[in-house]
Amino acid sequence: MDNEKKAGLTYRRYVVPFLLITVLFFLWGFARAILDVLNKHFQDSFHISIAQSAFVQVTTYLAYFLMALPAGMFINRFGYRKGVVFGLALFGIGALLFIPGASFSGQIMFFAFLVALFILGSGLTFLETAANPYATELGPAATATSRLNLSQTFNGLGSCLAPAVVGGYLFRGGDVVYPYLILGITVLIIALVFSRVQLPEIKHNSAGEEPDNIRSGRMRKVWRHKIFVFGLIALLVYEIAEISINSYFINFTTMPHIIDGEIRAGLMSPVRASVWLSAALLLFMLGRFIGSIVMTFVKAERVLLVCALCCIICIGTIFLGPSNTAVYALMGNYLFEAIMFPTIFSLALRGMGGLTKTASSILMMTPVGGCFFLLTGYIAEAHMLLPFVVPFMAYIVIFLFAYTVLCRKGLANVTGE
C-alpha cells in the first residue's frame, strides 16, 4: 500500500496522450446528456408518451450493445488511435444526419432522428471502448482508478453543460438541428486532429496470459475472472440506474402529482428542470473530481462501498413522496453515484493483463441498460415514484460488489496471494 500512495497519477511521457484522451470524455458526456433533454422535448413536439419518447435512449444505447464487441475487435486489430478516429467519424456523421432528418415531418422525422442517434451511439461506443481502458493504462497501475475518475470528471463537465445550454435553447422553441450541426462539425475537426497525432500503444507481458491480439480462447479466459463477471453485472445495473434517473429527472420534476386526493402542479417548469438537471450533473462532476483525489489514498473499493450506501439512502428518501426534499435527495444521489462507473470499470479490469481490450469491449456493452428506460416509462405512467425502485435495487447490487472486492482483497493480503 505504501508504494500505491507514492505512485503518481501518470508518467511524464503520457501527459499529452492523457490530456487528448480526456477531451473525448467531455464530448460523449455532452452528447449523452442531450438525450435527457431530447426525451422531454420530443414528448412535447411530437405529442408522444414517456414510453414512446424512451426510444431516444433505447436506440442510442442499443448501439452500445450491438457495437461494443465489434469495437473491441477493431481496437484489438488496429489500436487505440484508429479506434478513436473511427468512433469520432461515426459520432460526427450521426450528429450531421439530423439535418436531412429534419426535412421529414411527423413520425417519419422522429424515426429519422432515431436512425441518426443510432449511428451517433455507435460512434460513442468506439470512443468509450477505446478511451476508458486507455486512460487506466496511461500511468502506474496503482493509480488507474484515480486516473480514470479524473478523466471522467470532464465527462461530468460535458454532462452538466448540455441540459442547461441545449435544454434552455430547445424548451424556448429552438430547432433541434442546430445543436447537432455544431456538435457534428466540432467532432469531425477533432477526428482530424486525432488522425494526425501518435498515441502510444500499451503492450502487456502478463505472466500466464495470452496477448490480447491472439483470438484463440480469449473470450473463454475472460469469463474465468469472477470479479470481472461480478463487475460486469454491477456496471450493467449502474447504467440502468444512472440512465433511468437522468432520463426521468425532468419528467419527475415537471409531472403533476396527487396529494390528499388533489392534483398538484409539477415541482417546476421544464426550463427550470433542465437547469436543475445541469446543477445535478455539476454535482456529479464534482463527485468524480473529489473521488479521484480521495482514491489516491483510500482504497477504491472502500469509496465505492460508502457511495453505494449513500445512494441507497438518497433514493430511499424519494419514496417519502414528491417534494423539495425528494429533489434534494435526488441531487445528492448524483454526488455519490459519480465515481461508480469508472471505479467499477477499473476494478473489473484489475488483473486482466493482456485480456484488457477484450474485457473492456464486453464492459462497454453495459450502456444497453439505457434501454430499460422504456420500462421506466411504462412504470411512470402508473405511478411517478415507482420508477425509483429500479435504481434502488441497482445500488444494492453495487454495494455487494464493492463489499465482495474489499473482502477478497483483504483475504488475499492475509493469505499472501
Side-chain angles (χ1 to χ4, degrees):
M1 189 66 182
D2 290 337
N3 291 333
E4 291 183 10
K5 290 180 181 179
K6 295 177 182 178
L9 192 64
T10 187
Y11 302 125
R12 183 175 298 178
R13 65 183 183 276
Y14 289 157
V15 169
V16 173
F18 180 67
L19 292 176
L20 287 172
I21 287 296
T22 299
V23 171
L24 303 179
F25 286 79
F26 175 87
L27 286 176
W28 80 65
F30 194 92
R32 286 176 60 162
I34 293 177
L35 300 179
D36 307 324
V37 174
L38 281 185
N39 187 274
K40 177 61 177 174
H41 174 68
F42 283 163
Q43 289 170 37
D44 297 338
S45 54
F46 292 110
H47 306 291
I48 55 179
S49 68
I50 297 176
Q52 290 171 314
S53 68
F55 278 96
V56 168
Q57 275 79 13
V58 170
T59 301
T60 306
Y61 294 117
L62 183 61
Y64 279 82
F65 182 74
L66 296 177
M67 298 303 295
L69 289 180
M73 293 170 63
F74 184 96
I75 294 164
N76 274 325
R77 182 170 183 180
F78 299 107
Y80 287 114
R81 184 178 66 85
K82 290 184 178 179
V84 166
V85 172
F86 188 69
L88 286 168
L90 285 178
F91 183 173
I93 291 169
L96 293 179
L97 282 177
F98 269 75
I99 300 173
S103 64
F104 298 102
S105 60
Q107 293 296 316
I108 298 178
M109 182 191 295
F110 181 56
F111 178 76
F113 288 159
L114 293 181
V115 172
L117 287 172
F118 179 84
I119 295 173
L120 189 153
S122 298
L124 296 182
T125 307
F126 274 81
L127 289 185
E128 295 196 48
T129 303
N132 278 300
Y134 196 49
T136 67
E137 297 185 26
L138 288 173
T143 55
T145 303
S146 179
R147 190 163 50 253
L148 183 55
N149 269 281
L150 181 59
S151 289
Q152 287 278 1
T153 298
F154 290 86
N155 175 271
L157 178 61
S159 296
C160 73
L161 287 177
V165 175
V166 181
Y169 172 74
L170 292 180
F171 290 132
R172 289 186 173 90
D175 190 336
V176 71
V177 169
Y178 292 109
Y180 279 100
L181 171 63
I182 296 170
L183 186 61
I185 293 173
T186 302
V187 166
L188 290 178
I189 291 173
I190 294 174
L192 181 62
V193 172
F194 269 88
S195 69
R196 302 294 181 182
V197 300
Q198 292 296 322
L199 296 178
E201 286 294 323
I202 309 299
K203 303 296 182 182
H204 292 285
N205 294 303
S206 302
E209 293 283 10
E210 289 183 354
D212 208 24
N213 59 357
I214 297 177
R215 295 184 181 181
S216 177
R218 190 168 56 209
M219 292 293 289
R220 186 175 66 252
K221 284 177 174 288
V222 167
W223 297 112
R224 290 176 184 170
H225 293 257
K226 294 181 180 179
I227 289 297
F228 168 78
V229 175
F230 199 173
L232 176 64
I233 295 170
L235 204 60
L236 175 62
V237 298
Y238 167 74
E239 290 283 11
I240 293 172
E242 183 205 358
I243 295 168
S244 295
I245 291 173
N246 288 348
S247 304
Y248 189 52
F249 187 100
I250 294 178
N251 285 291
F252 173 68
T253 53
T254 59
M255 187 184 298
H257 52 279
I258 300 175
I259 296 180
D260 298 329
E262 296 183 7
I263 298 178
R264 305 288 179 86
L267 299 172
M268 58 187 72
S269 68
V271 173
R272 188 183 174 200
S274 65
V275 173
W276 274 73
L277 177 56
S278 280
L281 291 167
L282 183 62
L283 286 175
F284 187 85
M285 181 188 72
L286 181 63
R288 279 192 171 161
F289 181 72
I290 294 173
S292 69
I293 296 173
V294 171
M295 278 185 269
T296 59
F297 55 87
V298 178
K299 290 180 180 178
E301 50 268 41
R302 191 179 299 278
V303 177
L304 181 63
L305 185 79
V306 173
C307 287
L309 179 60
C310 290
C311 284
I312 292 170
I313 295 171
C314 287
I315 297 299
T317 303
I318 296 174
F319 293 128
L320 298 177
S323 63
N324 289 333
T325 300
V327 175
Y328 295 143
L330 191 56
M331 298 280 285
N333 185 77
Y334 279 83
L335 180 67
F336 295 114
E337 76 168 2
I339 57 96
M340 288 185 177
F341 180 90
T343 304
I344 297 170
F345 192 94
S346 180
L347 291 175
L349 290 181
R350 182 184 285 173
M352 297 301 289
L355 299 171
T356 298
K357 290 178 182 176
T358 300
S360 172
S361 66
I362 296 172
L363 291 176
M364 284 318 306
M365 296 175 72
T366 57
V368 73
C371 295
F372 280 77
F373 184 62
L374 180 61
L375 175 63
T376 301
Y378 284 116
I379 296 174
E381 291 174 1
H383 194 285
M384 68 184 301
L385 294 180
L386 281 180
F388 290 106
V389 172
V390 175
F392 184 79
M393 298 301 296
Y395 294 131
I396 291 176
V397 173
I398 294 168
F399 178 88
L400 294 174
F401 169 72
Y403 182 77
T404 300
V405 175
L406 190 63
C407 289
R408 182 160 181 162
K409 187 171 181 180
L411 181 62
N413 290 337
V414 170
T415 59
E417 295 177 13

